[in-house]
Amino acid sequence: MPSNVSSTNDKPRRTVGNRMAPLLSTLYDRAQTTFTLADAVEITGLRPALASSLLHKAGQRGLVSHVKRGLFVLVPAELGSAAEYSGNPYLVARHLVGDAPAFISHASAMEIHRMVTQPQFVVFTSSTKRIPSRTVHGTEFRFVLIKPNHLFGTTKHWVTKQESVGISDLERTVIDGLRQPEYCGGVTDVAKGLWMRRADMQPGRLVDYALRLGVGAVARRTGYLLELYDLAPEAELARLRRVLTSTYLPLDPVLPREGRHIARWRLQVNISPEELEGVRTT
C-alpha cells in the first residue's frame, strides 16, 4: 500500500490489556461511567503515576476520554474510538463542582422536568462555590453562585441505576427562573414551563420558596403569574402581596422597561398580553 494512503490500522485500537480489564470490569459493575484518578488507583491498586499512565494509554485506545485533570469517562463501545466523548453532562457537572453543595438548575432543570420543548445546549449548575464557566468537548457548563441559605428545594435525579445528581425540584426551578430568567430563555419560557407542569405544581410551595428566597422581584413575578393563570387561591397570593414594597420592577428584566404598570403586584408588565396568553396553548 502506498505510504500516502491511510489504513484502518492507523486508527486507535480498542484493545484492553491485563491491567485495564479489571478497572473497566469494576466500573461497569458499578455502573460508574464517570470516574476519577483516585477511583482508578483504588480499583487497580497501582500508584497514582502508574494509574495515570494506564489511563493515558486507555485514552489513546478510545476506551476512556479525559474530561479534566483527574476526571475521566468511559467511552461506549458503539462510539468506536471517539476521543472527545464527555459522558453524561449532568454527571460531569457534578464532578466539576467537586465536594461543594450544588444542584442542576435553571434551563437544565427545566429540561429534566419536561418544562421545555427545545433541547438545551448549556448545562446550568447552582453552587455555593464560585466556579468559572468552562466548555468540555463542546458542551458549555455554567455555574451560578448562590448563598448557603438558598440551598433548598432540591431532589434527586437518577442518571443511571447507581448514579444520581441533585436538581432543583419543580417549584424551585420556577423560582430560580423568575429570579434569573436570562438563564432560562426569559420569563415567557419560565411561564410556559409553569403552565406545562401546572398539574404537578404545589402553589403553596411556590409561595414558600419565593418568600424564603427573599427577593422582591421574585415575589412579584410569582404572584402575578399564579394569578394570571389562576393557579393559586387568593390566600396564597395575599402572602406574597404582604411583602411587596412600593417600587415597581419589570416582569422580565431581560426586556426593555416599557409597558403597563400593575399596582396590585408593583410590576411593569413588559411582555405583550398576547405572548403571555399564548402560554396557555403550550
Side-chain angles (χ1 to χ4, degrees):
M1 179 180 292
S3 60
N4 62 342
V5 177
S6 296
S7 164
T8 55
N9 292 330
D10 293 335
K11 297 179 181 179
R13 298 176 60 195
R14 289 181 58 91
T15 54
V16 182
N18 292 334
R19 285 184 170 178
M20 193 64 195
L23 173 59
L24 293 180
S25 177
T26 301
L27 290 171
Y28 281 122
D29 286 345
R30 294 178 178 178
Q32 185 177 345
T33 57
T34 306
F35 65 100
T36 64
L37 176 60
D39 291 327
V41 169
E42 178 258 320
I43 293 169
T44 63
L46 296 173
R47 296 194 305 275
L50 290 177
S52 180
S53 176
L54 177 68
L55 293 173
H56 176 72
K57 292 175 182 177
Q60 292 178 323
R61 295 172 182 167
L63 298 170
V64 303
S65 179
H66 181 242
V67 176
K68 70 163 190 173
R69 182 179 178 86
L71 181 63
F72 306 84
V73 295
L74 297 176
V75 177
E78 60 268 22
L79 294 184
S81 56
E84 293 299 300
Y85 178 71
S86 60
N88 184 281
Y90 304 129
L91 291 177
V92 172
R94 187 189 70 186
H95 283 281
L96 291 176
V97 169
D99 295 331
F103 56 91
I104 304 299
S105 61
H106 298 86
S108 300
M110 290 180 69
E111 183 173 39
I112 293 172
H113 286 306
R114 304 186 309 281
M115 300 169 73
V116 295
T117 56
Q118 300 295 326
Q120 306 299 305
F121 300 104
V122 178
V123 178
F124 286 94
T125 303
S126 291
S127 176
T128 56
K129 177 183 177 183
R130 189 180 297 277
I131 306 168
S133 300
R134 62 187 301 167
T135 299
V136 178
H137 297 336
T139 299
E140 183 181 354
F141 294 85
R142 298 187 65 177
F143 300 92
V144 181
L145 182 66
I146 62 171
K147 299 176 181 178
N149 63 324
H150 288 170
L151 194 68
F152 63 85
T154 64
T155 187
K156 276 187 178 182
H157 172 66
W158 290 94
V159 178
T160 68
K161 290 182 179 180
Q162 279 78 27
E163 295 178 286
S164 66
V165 295
I167 67 168
S168 53
D169 63 22
L170 274 175
E171 292 81 8
R172 178 61 190 266
T173 300
V174 171
I175 294 302
D176 281 339
L178 294 179
R179 183 183 186 185
Q180 296 159 311
E182 64 271 23
Y183 298 151
C184 300
V187 165
T188 300
D189 280 6
V190 178
K192 287 179 182 177
L194 170 64
W195 181 257
M196 288 171 67
R197 297 300 309 274
R198 63 191 181 279
D200 301 308
M201 291 283 175
Q202 298 186 35
R205 184 178 292 173
L206 273 168
V207 173
D208 287 343
Y209 286 178
L211 294 175
R212 186 171 177 181
L213 204 64
V215 177
V218 173
R220 289 163 167 78
R221 294 165 190 156
T222 301
Y224 176 75
L225 291 179
L226 288 176
E227 184 173 62
L228 179 66
Y229 300 128
D230 194 23
L231 297 178
E234 174 57 31
E236 296 294 351
L237 301 178
R239 292 171 60 202
L240 292 169
R241 283 198 303 275
R242 282 197 290 269
V243 302
L244 303 184
T245 63
S246 60
T247 305
Y248 280 78
L249 297 174
L251 176 58
D252 193 332
V254 177
L255 301 176
R257 295 194 66 160
E258 56 189 22
R260 70 190 190 282
H261 290 73
I262 304 294
R264 181 176 172 83
W265 291 108
R266 297 294 191 269
L267 266 181
Q268 183 175 22
V269 181
N270 55 346
I271 302 174
S272 71
E274 295 77 16
E275 188 174 339
L276 289 170
E277 188 57 38
V279 165
R280 297 179 191 265
T281 64
T282 301

